[in-house]
Amino acid sequence: MKAVFYERYGDPDVLQYGEQPDPKVGPDSVLVEVRAASVNPVDWKITGGHLDGALPTYFPVVPGWDVAGVVVQPGPSVTEFQAGDEVIGYVRMDTVGLGTFAEQVAAPVRTLARKPRNVSWAEAATMPLAGLTAYQALRAVGAGEGDTVLVHNGAGGVGTYAIQIATAWGARVLATASEKNHDFLRSLGAEPLTYGEGLADRITVAAPEGLDAVVDFVGGDDLPVSLEHLRTPGRVASVVDAGIKDEGGRYIFVRPDPEDLLALTELVEAGSVKPVLAETFPLERAADAFRSSIEGHVRGKIAVTVGDEGQAGLPAA
């Protein structure tokens, strides 16, 4: 099969495009024909060797944890899916080696759910890691009806999902972003706040009775500022700052969960959540997709498409 791979750690220049062995399908996995994958910061951090101390790595590495595609072969013990099913998945293993930036991937059923019927392959591929991160962070702080929730980095890939999920759950959402992204945040259902100096005063004006919960997707000095406005200490989650546990909060490292992923699919099909697709690149230009992610300043997520069906109806990058 064709795949993107690298044989040593480094920047996006180490990524190659070429032939790799076809995946082997274990008893509890399915072979997925990939239509699209998406780029997450963790992908280029792993490529750079920054998670070498946490996850065993086997070269050559095919990067990528997000996938949208079609089941072509279920493993012998699989009853959840059959050939022809359209699925999405957060295909994170306990090792680094066999990822989703390829024509095919063998995905454990514990990582998969059905694809929403009302979005493109590329949009669907943005859902698993970012959507699950937002979903699990909001659930960790108990966000729900009537709450005032502050989302840090609302215009990012995870933040766009968090705003929409929290709104769908009946919360009032405040979100930090640069001023140029304020109208975009309003379109998602959030009340924007400019990050940085003076944030404490802006929170006081927007939420004079305080915040019910905070979810943080960027880290930095704004997080401790916002904690001073929490009505109930401990209702805070961060994907960046593990020290938040010392404040009684939750550090989130997203986990594959088919029930959570199915809940996201249902929110998307209901129209409550819409994936925000910033750019798309064909598989052979995965290095350019990595560079775009590293440069940042995009609204939403970057996807990599595979084959003509994956690219159908999408603007060129």
Side-chain angles (χ1 to χ4, degrees), residues 4-315:
V4 171
F5 63 96
Y6 57 95
E7 298 174 302
R8 60 181 175 85
Y9 291 134
D11 63 21
D13 290 340
V14 303
L15 296 180
Q16 304 176 55
Y17 175 72
E19 290 292 332
Q20 286 292 291
D22 291 344
K24 297 179 180 179
V25 185
D28 302 318
S29 296
V30 300
L31 183 64
V32 176
E33 188 173 85
V34 179
R35 295 285 188 265
S38 76
V39 180
N40 296 286
V42 72
D43 296 321
W44 43 264
K45 290 177 182 177
I46 290 174
T47 302
H50 300 299
L51 268 70
D52 185 73
L55 295 172
T57 300
Y58 300 95
F59 293 103
V61 173
V62 176
W65 283 345
D66 279 346
V67 71
V70 180
V71 174
V72 292
Q73 179 190 337
S77 70
V78 172
T79 58
E80 295 90 340
F81 301 101
Q82 58 186 3
D85 286 347
E86 298 181 351
V87 295
I88 57 174
Y90 172 42
V91 191
R92 175 167 65 78
M93 314 288 194
D94 295 327
T95 60
V96 173
L98 303 176
T100 59
F101 281 50
E103 291 180 328
Q104 295 182 329
V105 64
V109 292
R110 65 179 176 81
T111 68
L112 300 175
R114 65 177 177 81
K115 170 190 174 289
R117 302 178 182 92
N118 57 336
V119 295
S120 70
W121 290 111
E123 288 172 320
T126 72
M127 292 173 55
L129 189 151
L132 282 176
T133 301
Y135 187 95
Q136 291 173 7
L138 288 166
R139 191 173 58 190
V141 300
E145 187 74 35
D147 283 337
T148 297
V149 178
L150 175 59
V151 175
H152 283 299
N153 194 21
V158 180
T160 57
Y161 277 106
I163 289 169
Q164 296 179 83
I165 294 168
T167 300
W169 290 352
R172 176 196 177 204
V173 180
L174 311 178
T176 61
S178 60
E179 203 163 325
K180 67 180 181 181
N181 285 320
H182 283 194
D183 285 343
F184 171 62
L185 294 190
R186 292 186 185 98
S187 73
L188 297 176
E191 300 171 40
L193 299 175
T194 303
Y195 57 75
E197 186 177 353
L199 178 61
D201 293 336
R202 291 187 286 276
I203 294 174
T204 297
V205 172
E209 296 182 359
L211 303 169
D212 294 295
V214 175
V215 287
D216 167 51
F217 306 123
V218 67
D221 294 336
D222 286 347
L223 177 57
V225 169
S226 59
L227 297 186
E228 298 174 4
H229 298 262
L230 265 180
R231 297 171 59 185
T232 305
R235 291 188 68 186
V236 54
S238 176
V239 302
V240 180
D241 188 353
I244 200 66
K245 294 184 288 187
D246 297 333
E247 305 291 335
R250 286 280 302 277
Y251 173 67
I252 303 295
F253 195 105
V254 60
R255 300 178 66 181
D257 189 306
E259 292 185 4
D260 290 354
L261 200 53
L262 180 58
L264 280 172
T265 286
E266 292 171 346
L267 284 169
V268 170
E269 288 184 335
S272 302
V273 173
K274 181 172 176 54
V276 179
L277 182 62
E279 293 180 275
T280 61
F281 295 83
L283 180 63
E284 58 268 26
R285 290 185 57 201
D288 290 331
F290 271 46
R291 293 185 188 100
S292 185
S293 177
I294 292 169
E295 290 167 3
H297 310 298
V298 296
R299 296 173 176 175
K301 295 293 301 295
I302 297 168
V304 169
T305 57
V306 182
D308 293 338
E309 289 188 57
Q311 297 177 35
L314 294 172

